[in-house]
Amino acid sequence: MTALVGIVMGSDSDWPTMKAAAEVCTEFGVPFEADVISAHRMPVEMIDYGRSAHERGLKVLIAGAGGAAHLPGMLAAVTPLPVIGVPVPLKYLDGMDSLLSIVQMPAGVPVATVSIGNARNAGLLAVRILAAYDEELRARMSAFQETLAAQARAKGATVRDGAAKLRKG
Amino acid sequence: MTALVGIVMGSDSDWPTMKAAAEVCTEFGVPFEADVISAHRMPVEMIDYGRSAHERGLKVLIAGAGGAAHLPGMLAAVTPLPVIGVPVPLKYLDGMDSLLSIVQMPAGVPVATVSIGNARNAGLLAVRILAAYDEELRARMSAFQETLAAQARAKGATVRDGAAKLRKG
Amino acid sequence: MTALVGIVMGSDSDWPTMKAAAEVCTEFGVPFEADVISAHRMPVEMIDYGRSAHERGLKVLIAGAGGAAHLPGMLAAVTPLPVIGVPVPLKYLDGMDSLLSIVQMPAGVPVATVSIGNARNAGLLAVRILAAYDEELRARMSAFQETLAAQARAKGATVRDGAAKLRKG
Amino acid sequence: MTALVGIVMGSDSDWPTMKAAAEVCTEFGVPFEADVISAHRMPVEMIDYGRSAHERGLKVLIAGAGGAAHLPGMLAAVTPLPVIGVPVPLKYLDGMDSLLSIVQMPAGVPVATVSIGNARNAGLLAVRILAAYDEELRARMSAFQETLAAQARAKGATVRDGAAKLRKG
Amino acid sequence: MTALVGIVMGSDSDWPTMKAAAEVCTEFGVPFEADVISAHRMPVEMIDYGRSAHERGLKVLIAGAGGAAHLPGMLAAVTPLPVIGVPVPLKYLDGMDSLLSIVQMPAGVPVATVSIGNARNAGLLAVRILAAYDEELRARMSAFQETLAAQARAKGATVRDGAAKLRKG
Amino acid sequence: MTALVGIVMGSDSDWPTMKAAAEVCTEFGVPFEADVISAHRMPVEMIDYGRSAHERGLKVLIAGAGGAAHLPGMLAAVTPLPVIGVPVPLKYLDGMDSLLSIVQMPAGVPVATVSIGNARNAGLLAVRILAAYDEELRARMSAFQETLAAQARAKGATVRDGAAKLRKG
Amino acid sequence: MTALVGIVMGSDSDWPTMKAAAEVCTEFGVPFEADVISAHRMPVEMIDYGRSAHERGLKVLIAGAGGAAHLPGMLAAVTPLPVIGVPVPLKYLDGMDSLLSIVQMPAGVPVATVSIGNARNAGLLAVRILAAYDEELRARMSAFQETLAAQARAKGATVRDGAAKLRKG
Amino acid sequence: MTALVGIVMGSDSDWPTMKAAAEVCTEFGVPFEADVISAHRMPVEMIDYGRSAHERGLKVLIAGAGGAAHLPGMLAAVTPLPVIGVPVPLKYLDGMDSLLSIVQMPAGVPVATVSIGNARNAGLLAVRILAAYDEELRARMSAFQETLAAQARAKGATVRDGAAKLRKG
């Protein structure tokens, strides 16, 4: 099946963070591909990847990067597809450098940025994008949101029990 | 024509910033609507707006907000559509509070965040999202990207002239 | 006994932080309730909780949230009661995102924000609020403040002893 | 009429910011007093003010301060009343120093902090606190919240008109 | 022997950080005292301590505090002596809140602030202050500075050895 | 008369900020000198200035610097005298770079840092240091502090009048 | 004459900032070229520019960029030449985003970053690099540094005069 | 063989970070020296080191420093050679203080700053500088960049395998 979502990152060390995006695709039955594409170490291949992405049938790109995180923005420069950026936190600065390097794109070339280290949300955003014209997928997203609500409700029991114990001393 | 993009903001004071998103829609011929929907002042209407958005034919929501900017995230909580957040800078902190309040969403509920005050990019991201399944619109996005390149090239003359003057002293 | 303080949070993972607010209520004999109410996962129930809070006899709400922390502000939008916000620190940014998302509310909808991760102070602030019209409770708050002073004084011995040891070498 | 809210600040240069809190009191018919009390220049009077506040009938204190903003926290140390802190922005740092100096209080001594420069919210929070045991005042707060919603709705016209103009080109 | 330096802190939990100041005093033979004085928990005693400090023969005060760190500034408000502030880092924000709360004092009431967690430098600054009018102590400070140079020079061997090993592979 | 306080800065463009320190010296009758000494442009003269300062009778140095502000720390490295650092704010970053470059000195070489742009406090701190062993000067400092209190008290009238006007509508 | 230094920027709006680098080249008689090369709008030309730079005789590249500033890092990825990055401050965040996006490069691909908005220093750094193997140019750099010292010394008169006036009252 | 690169740091505790720069020199066959030179503890030797560096044949200096990191800037003030600064992160603030203290140099005295803790990039930048006039070394740098690309490509397998596993469940 043709991949609809392309998940790329600058190094395999980002995979433990980024695989959460792939897991979402699996959960929602969305075909995806994942690879290492480094803006700084493979600049020409990066441009080729971006330029041909929509021709290969991809509909959304997800790019994770840390520090001077240039991959999402450079991909957005060479593809007409929506690009989702995941700020990967490095050893210092808690991902603030990654966030600003990804989100602060100049007018003309947007990157859809999600929270620091939150590749799961990148995956969910990709699903929402694909679902805009796919009613069946959108229904699954709505069902997923219902599940979130149910899970949150279920967690209330822990808190109510904890409160009850405190009251009894 | 049914609006495909819904552009909302907490107050009409955000319009001078947010209209750049509307202008993009106009440029690309994408039907849109724009309104004031305040998370803090009209919470119930905000939820109604979000819940019914996809039923009314909207495909993407763009929400601008400043400070403790809750509108994009709350809309994302009640719609299965992709929500694009624009951090509107207020009088203090240069939009850093708006940015963090919008982008740092918990797992499960993504907001596609663009750069501070950059509603134009929100509009362009909406077009890219719509174009994922619309080849004609994607071609227009590619053409637009060509225009950006041409404009940037043209600007080179100013710099080369300035450099020439410096050389001559 | 009717709860006067409602303590809510977005997930049971916040309970280890937030239970300090409940412990204060227990210490001061103030009836409270605690539950999971998620702005992003249970938005409609969140609004219902906020809207009915004062009708159920609650006098103060305490809401803990992290990251793009919308719960305190959204509750403040739907209740006339004072809402106390606790910025819960997440894995990155040391709670600075939580703090700004909670405290930077627009004019019209205040949230009484306490220090990062300091649910104990949220509980004590709730007691002070309840004590404004309850002389007996206020006397207990004054007594508590005396206790703080006594404890601080007692801790001086450790420091004086440490200093004495240094002097003797 | 006995003042219920005490509004204090370190200098008369804070009055243009802080008077918004007084205006709220006037709007809601809540008797208040306002004065200069400086933690750094009048430390003993500051302590006297805080210690006697509840004896004089005050129910809530509002304190505005900038930079190393010690006034709200020091008042909270000497009164059992709830103290609301307003971070006043100074010439540099956009009020971030004021915010952290006010909100980051140690366990035991809470300050209810509002957004940077937002004395109006401090006034509204004081009204909510007073309204906790005053049904009539709470009704007025609910009515005020309705007004906020109506104003926000009315502002929608400007945005819808602006959007209509864009559509027509 | 009368103490010349008074070292105070808000809790005995600050002692592990603050004792470095006391150790410097011991090294330089400067008599000192150390105690817990809390701005927020013992405000009146804090003021008494500050007001009487110079009458008891103290020449310099060193105050350590964290978070909304009010102790150094409040002492400076009630004593004519120089006050040295040590920003003690707490669990979150790496001491940035402590630093800003201590250093950003308003015109009229200075606090001599040293680096985050660096009570040793507070002690050395106190010695420099005392040495301004004490030639013998100043000579000891100069000798100490020579020692620092000698130690730094000695550490060069480690680096030169490490470099030599790298060269040999 | 021999100068007791040496006020130095990297450029005459710092004089409008730094002269406030000189004005304090004049107010308190403390002899001072002021000059441009640049760490980056006159490094050898800077070291000479620092090394000979105490021999020329100076008791305290005040150094103002902005950006990568190295002057205060480098002077502290070559003099046994107390060095007061004034973080001068430059065009960007609001003086945060200046503050961190001055205050974050390593163990062994303290700089007494005052608030951003606050040369007046640097002057007052110098006076407090000189006053530690000069009872007459300390009395003047105490009198000055009384004046601050009186001024603050006088400013209360403006606020009380403003409040009275609001009450009358 | 073949250009040795290539000065590039993303838009002609950066020229007012970046021309300071060109002026330095003119001052030192170093042949240079200047142009608009946009990482985001002309990605392929940007790569061509970088790849061919050393073949055309360039020895150093200077790249200015703001916000999510990718130009310096992307050039460094495709050239073996040293690349100097100038963080251009944009409307918000005072250049902090530009700085982090430029300086925080991953291991393998360095960018020599200078201070925010300081293209003059980029030019001077380029001269120093060229001078490493050009004794005559290095002598000119040393002479330039002497000039800086002389200018700084001359500025001392303004400060000494200002101080003299203060002394006389 | 005469060292071309001088690697210095304020203490041997910086060696574990800084040796990465030395390792690069070894990899590229560039002769180097490494030593402890402390701006704050050995100021005169530091100036001597900087002043004589180019006379001893050094072409580039690399200086690592943390906190109020003055070493790179002070060396740049006394040498005409290019100076590369490595911000060494200390216990608090994640190296942000080190970065600003190094990069924010005033006009006239540039420091080529690399990313926080990234001494490897400092070494690579030194090699690029030396390679500007050394074709053979530049070829080695180009080859090294090819290696980076090959390594990145190889890492793709891990990610593609991980993705394949997810697809199979």
Side-chain angles (χ1 to χ4, degrees):
Chain A
M1 230 170 126
T2 309
L4 297 177
V5 177
I7 303 171
V8 292
M9 60 217 79
S11 170
D12 57 351
S13 64
D14 296 329
W15 178 240
T17 298
M18 294 304 296
K19 77 173 168 187
E23 288 164 352
V24 168
C25 291
T26 306
E27 284 169 43
F28 280 85
V30 170
F32 71 97
E33 64 179 35
D35 213 336
V36 167
I37 300 285
S38 168
H40 296 125
R41 301 191 186 93
M42 307 159 57
V44 177
E45 280 141 296
M46 181 264 291
I47 285 188
D48 290 344
Y49 184 89
R51 292 201 138 189
S52 64
H54 68 280
E55 292 162 7
R56 293 193 298 111
L58 291 167
K59 299 297 184 194
V60 187
L61 301 186
I62 295 175
H70 297 175
L71 182 60
M74 287 310 300
L75 284 176
V78 293
T79 181
L81 295 176
V83 176
I84 300 171
V86 181
V88 177
L90 301 187
K91 198 173 170 193
Y92 307 113
L93 300 184
D94 254 17
M96 186 53 88
D97 48 355
S98 320
L99 171 59
L100 293 175
S101 300
I102 290 175
V103 79
Q104 286 295 81
M105 289 292 288
V109 189
V111 169
T113 310
V114 297
S115 41
I116 296 171
N118 202 332
R120 181 162 180 80
N121 269 7
L124 290 166
L125 182 56
V127 172
R128 286 184 181 225
I129 289 171
L130 294 171
Y133 279 100
D134 179 340
E135 275 192 38
E136 198 268 320
L137 191 57
R138 195 168 61 218
R140 251 179 292 157
M141 176 54 70
S142 293
F144 166 77
Q145 292 176 294
E146 270 313 303
T147 317
L148 287 180
Q151 285 168 346
R153 258 174 241 126
K155 285 172 179 173
T158 311
V159 171
R160 288 188 301 269
D161 288 358
K165 268 182 215 155
L166 281 180
R167 266 184 227 107
K168 287 176 198 160
Chain B
M1 228 170 127
T2 309
L4 297 178
V5 177
I7 304 172
V8 291
M9 61 215 78
S11 171
D12 57 352
S13 64
D14 295 329
W15 178 241
T17 297
M18 293 305 294
K19 78 174 166 184
E23 288 163 353
V24 167
C25 291
T26 306
E27 283 169 43
F28 281 84
V30 171
F32 71 96
E33 63 178 37
D35 213 336
V36 168
I37 299 287
S38 167
H40 296 125
R41 299 189 187 95
M42 304 158 58
V44 177
E45 281 141 295
M46 181 265 289
I47 285 189
D48 289 345
Y49 183 88
R51 294 200 138 190
S52 63
H54 69 280
E55 292 162 5
R56 293 194 299 113
L58 292 167
K59 298 298 181 193
V60 187
L61 300 186
I62 296 175
H70 297 174
L71 181 61
M74 288 309 300
L75 284 176
V78 292
T79 181
L81 295 176
V83 177
I84 301 172
V86 181
V88 177
L90 301 188
K91 197 172 169 193
Y92 306 113
L93 300 184
D94 256 16
M96 186 52 90
D97 48 353
S98 319
L99 171 58
L100 294 175
S101 300
I102 290 175
V103 80
Q104 287 294 83
M105 289 292 289
V109 188
V111 169
T113 309
V114 296
S115 41
I116 295 171
N118 202 332
R120 182 163 179 81
N121 269 7
L124 290 166
L125 181 57
V127 171
R128 286 185 181 224
I129 289 170
L130 294 171
Y133 279 102
D134 178 341
E135 276 193 39
E136 199 269 320
L137 190 56
R138 197 167 61 217
R140 249 179 292 160
M141 176 53 71
S142 293
F144 166 77
Q145 291 175 295
E146 270 313 304
T147 317
L148 287 181
Q151 286 169 346
R153 257 174 243 127
K155 285 173 180 173
T158 311
V159 171
R160 288 188 301 269
D161 288 358
K165 269 183 216 154
L166 280 180
R167 268 186 227 106
K168 289 177 200 161
Chain C
M1 227 172 128
T2 309
L4 297 178
V5 177
I7 303 171
V8 291
M9 61 216 78
S11 170
D12 57 352
S13 64
D14 296 328
W15 178 240
T17 298
M18 294 305 294
K19 78 174 168 186
E23 287 164 354
V24 168
C25 291
T26 307
E27 284 170 41
F28 280 85
V30 170
F32 71 96
E33 64 179 36
D35 213 335
V36 167
I37 300 286
S38 167
H40 297 125
R41 301 192 186 92
M42 305 156 59
V44 177
E45 281 142 295
M46 181 264 289
I47 285 188
D48 290 345
Y49 183 89
R51 293 200 138 190
S52 64
H54 69 280
E55 293 163 6
R56 294 194 297 113
L58 292 166
K59 299 298 182 192
V60 187
L61 300 186
I62 295 174
H70 297 177
L71 182 60
M74 288 309 300
L75 284 176
V78 293
T79 180
L81 295 175
V83 176
I84 300 171
V86 181
V88 177
L90 301 187
K91 198 173 169 191
Y92 307 113
L93 300 185
D94 255 16
M96 185 53 88
D97 49 353
S98 320
L99 171 58
L100 293 175
S101 300
I102 291 175
V103 78
Q104 286 295 81
M105 290 291 288
V109 189
V111 168
T113 310
V114 296
S115 41
I116 296 171
N118 202 331
R120 181 162 179 81
N121 268 8
L124 290 165
L125 182 56
V127 172
R128 285 184 182 224
I129 289 171
L130 293 172
Y133 279 99
D134 178 340
E135 274 192 41
E136 198 268 320
L137 191 56
R138 195 167 61 218
R140 251 180 291 159
M141 177 52 71
S142 293
F144 166 77
Q145 291 175 295
E146 270 312 304
T147 317
L148 287 181
Q151 285 169 345
R153 256 173 243 126
K155 286 172 180 175
T158 311
V159 172
R160 287 188 302 268
D161 288 358
K165 268 182 216 156
L166 280 180
R167 266 184 228 106
K168 287 177 198 158
Chain D
M1 228 170 128
T2 309
L4 296 178
V5 177
I7 304 171
V8 291
M9 61 215 78
S11 170
D12 56 352
S13 64
D14 296 329
W15 179 240
T17 298
M18 295 303 295
K19 78 175 168 185
E23 287 164 353
V24 168
C25 291
T26 305
E27 283 168 42
F28 280 85
V30 170
F32 71 96
E33 64 179 36
D35 213 337
V36 167
I37 299 286
S38 167
H40 296 126
R41 300 190 187 95
M42 304 157 59
V44 177
E45 281 142 296
M46 180 265 289
I47 285 189
D48 289 345
Y49 183 88
R51 294 200 137 190
S52 64
H54 68 281
E55 292 164 6
R56 293 193 298 112
L58 291 167
K59 298 298 183 194
V60 187
L61 300 186
I62 295 175
H70 297 175
L71 182 60
M74 288 309 301
L75 284 176
V78 293
T79 181
L81 295 176
V83 176
I84 301 171
V86 181
V88 177
L90 301 188
K91 197 172 169 193
Y92 306 113
L93 302 184
D94 256 15
M96 186 52 89
D97 49 353
S98 319
L99 171 59
L100 294 176
S101 300
I102 290 175
V103 79
Q104 286 294 81
M105 290 293 289
V109 189
V111 168
T113 309
V114 295
S115 42
I116 296 171
N118 202 333
R120 181 163 180 80
N121 269 8
L124 290 166
L125 182 55
V127 171
R128 286 184 182 226
I129 289 171
L130 293 171
Y133 279 101
D134 178 340
E135 275 193 38
E136 197 269 320
L137 191 57
R138 196 167 61 218
R140 251 179 292 158
M141 176 54 72
S142 293
F144 166 77
Q145 291 175 294
E146 270 314 303
T147 316
L148 286 180
Q151 286 169 346
R153 258 174 241 126
K155 286 173 178 172
T158 310
V159 171
R160 287 188 301 269
D161 288 358
K165 270 183 215 154
L166 281 179
R167 267 185 227 105
K168 289 176 199 159
Chain E
M1 225 170 130
T2 310
L4 297 178
V5 178
I7 303 171
V8 292
M9 61 216 79
S11 170
D12 57 352
S13 64
D14 296 328
W15 178 241
T17 297
M18 294 305 295
K19 79 174 168 185
E23 287 164 354
V24 169
C25 291
T26 306
E27 283 169 42
F28 280 85
V30 170
F32 71 96
E33 64 179 37
D35 213 336
V36 167
I37 299 286
S38 167
H40 297 124
R41 300 190 187 93
M42 305 158 58
V44 177
E45 281 142 295
M46 181 265 289
I47 284 188
D48 289 345
Y49 183 88
R51 294 200 137 190
S52 63
H54 69 281
E55 291 163 6
R56 293 194 298 110
L58 292 166
K59 299 296 181 193
V60 188
L61 300 186
I62 295 175
H70 298 175
L71 182 60
M74 288 310 299
L75 285 175
V78 293
T79 180
L81 296 175
V83 176
I84 300 171
V86 181
V88 177
L90 301 187
K91 198 173 170 191
Y92 307 113
L93 301 184
D94 256 14
M96 185 54 88
D97 49 352
S98 319
L99 171 58
L100 293 175
S101 300
I102 291 175
V103 79
Q104 286 295 81
M105 289 292 288
V109 190
V111 168
T113 310
V114 296
S115 41
I116 296 171
N118 202 332
R120 181 163 180 80
N121 269 7
L124 290 166
L125 182 57
V127 172
R128 287 185 181 224
I129 289 171
L130 293 171
Y133 279 101
D134 178 341
E135 275 193 38
E136 199 268 320
L137 191 57
R138 197 168 61 216
R140 249 178 294 159
M141 176 53 71
S142 294
F144 166 77
Q145 290 175 295
E146 270 314 303
T147 317
L148 287 181
Q151 285 168 346
R153 256 173 243 128
K155 286 172 179 172
T158 312
V159 171
R160 287 188 302 268
D161 288 358
K165 267 182 215 154
L166 280 179
R167 267 185 227 106
K168 287 176 201 160
Chain F
M1 231 169 125
T2 308
L4 297 178
V5 177
I7 304 171
V8 292
M9 61 215 78
S11 170
D12 56 352
S13 64
D14 295 330
W15 178 240
T17 298
M18 293 304 295
K19 78 174 169 185
E23 287 164 353
V24 168
C25 291
T26 306
E27 283 169 42
F28 280 85
V30 171
F32 72 96
E33 63 179 37
D35 213 336
V36 167
I37 299 286
S38 168
H40 296 125
R41 300 191 186 94
M42 306 158 57
V44 177
E45 281 142 296
M46 181 264 290
I47 285 189
D48 290 344
Y49 183 89
R51 293 201 139 190
S52 63
H54 69 280
E55 292 162 6
R56 294 194 297 114
L58 291 167
K59 300 298 182 194
V60 187
L61 300 186
I62 295 174
H70 298 175
L71 182 60
M74 288 310 300
L75 284 176
V78 292
T79 180
L81 295 176
V83 177
I84 301 171
V86 181
V88 177
L90 301 188
K91 198 171 168 194
Y92 307 113
L93 301 184
D94 256 15
M96 186 52 90
D97 49 354
S98 319
L99 171 59
L100 294 175
S101 300
I102 290 175
V103 79
Q104 286 294 81
M105 290 292 289
V109 189
V111 168
T113 309
V114 296
S115 40
I116 295 171
N118 203 332
R120 183 164 179 80
N121 268 8
L124 290 166
L125 182 57
V127 171
R128 286 185 181 224
I129 289 171
L130 293 171
Y133 278 100
D134 179 339
E135 275 193 38
E136 199 267 319
L137 191 57
R138 196 168 61 218
R140 251 179 291 159
M141 177 53 72
S142 293
F144 166 77
Q145 291 176 293
E146 271 312 304
T147 316
L148 287 180
Q151 285 169 345
R153 258 174 241 126
K155 286 173 178 172
T158 311
V159 171
R160 288 188 301 269
D161 288 358
K165 268 183 216 154
L166 281 180
R167 267 185 227 106
K168 288 175 198 160
Chain G
M1 229 170 125
T2 310
L4 297 178
V5 177
I7 304 172
V8 291
M9 61 215 78
S11 170
D12 57 352
S13 64
D14 295 329
W15 178 241
T17 297
M18 293 304 294
K19 78 173 167 186
E23 287 165 353
V24 168
C25 291
T26 305
E27 283 169 42
F28 280 85
V30 170
F32 71 96
E33 64 178 37
D35 214 336
V36 166
I37 299 287
S38 168
H40 296 124
R41 300 191 185 93
M42 305 158 58
V44 178
E45 282 141 294
M46 181 265 290
I47 285 189
D48 289 344
Y49 183 88
R51 292 201 139 190
S52 64
H54 69 281
E55 292 163 7
R56 294 194 298 112
L58 291 166
K59 299 298 181 193
V60 187
L61 300 185
I62 296 175
H70 297 176
L71 182 60
M74 287 311 300
L75 284 176
V78 292
T79 181
L81 296 176
V83 177
I84 301 172
V86 181
V88 177
L90 301 188
K91 198 173 169 192
Y92 306 114
L93 301 184
D94 256 15
M96 186 52 90
D97 48 354
S98 320
L99 171 58
L100 294 175
S101 299
I102 290 175
V103 79
Q104 287 294 83
M105 289 292 289
V109 189
V111 169
T113 310
V114 296
S115 41
I116 296 170
N118 201 332
R120 182 163 179 79
N121 268 8
L124 290 166
L125 182 56
V127 172
R128 286 184 181 225
I129 288 171
L130 293 172
Y133 279 101
D134 179 339
E135 275 192 40
E136 199 268 319
L137 191 56
R138 196 168 62 217
R140 250 179 293 158
M141 177 53 72
S142 293
F144 166 77
Q145 292 176 293
E146 269 314 302
T147 316
L148 286 181
Q151 285 169 344
R153 258 174 240 126
K155 286 173 179 172
T158 311
V159 171
R160 288 189 301 269
D161 288 358
K165 268 182 215 154
L166 280 180
R167 269 185 224 105
K168 287 177 198 159
Chain H
M1 227 169 127
T2 309
L4 296 178
V5 177
I7 304 171
V8 291
M9 61 216 79
S11 170
D12 57 351
S13 65
D14 295 328
W15 178 240
T17 297
M18 294 305 296
K19 77 173 168 186
E23 287 164 354
V24 168
C25 291
T26 305
E27 283 169 42
F28 280 85
V30 171
F32 71 96
E33 63 179 37
D35 212 336
V36 167
I37 300 286
S38 168
H40 296 124
R41 301 192 185 93
M42 305 159 58
V44 177
E45 281 141 296
M46 180 265 288
I47 284 187
D48 289 345
Y49 183 88
R51 293 201 138 189
S52 63
H54 69 281
E55 292 163 8
R56 293 193 298 113
L58 291 166
K59 299 298 182 193
V60 187
L61 300 186
I62 295 174
H70 297 177
L71 182 60
M74 287 311 300
L75 284 176
V78 293
T79 182
L81 295 175
V83 177
I84 301 170
V86 181
V88 177
L90 302 188
K91 198 172 170 192
Y92 307 113
L93 300 184
D94 255 15
M96 186 51 89
D97 49 354
S98 319
L99 170 58
L100 293 175
S101 300
I102 289 175
V103 80
Q104 286 294 82
M105 289 292 289
V109 189
V111 168
T113 309
V114 296
S115 42
I116 296 171
N118 202 332
R120 182 164 178 80
N121 269 7
L124 290 166
L125 181 56
V127 172
R128 286 184 181 225
I129 288 171
L130 293 172
Y133 279 99
D134 179 340
E135 275 192 40
E136 199 268 319
L137 191 57
R138 196 167 60 217
R140 249 179 294 156
M141 176 52 71
S142 292
F144 166 78
Q145 291 175 294
E146 271 312 305
T147 318
L148 287 180
Q151 285 168 346
R153 257 173 242 127
K155 286 172 179 174
T158 312
V159 171
R160 288 188 301 268
D161 288 358
K165 268 182 214 153
L166 280 179
R167 266 185 227 107
K168 288 176 199 161

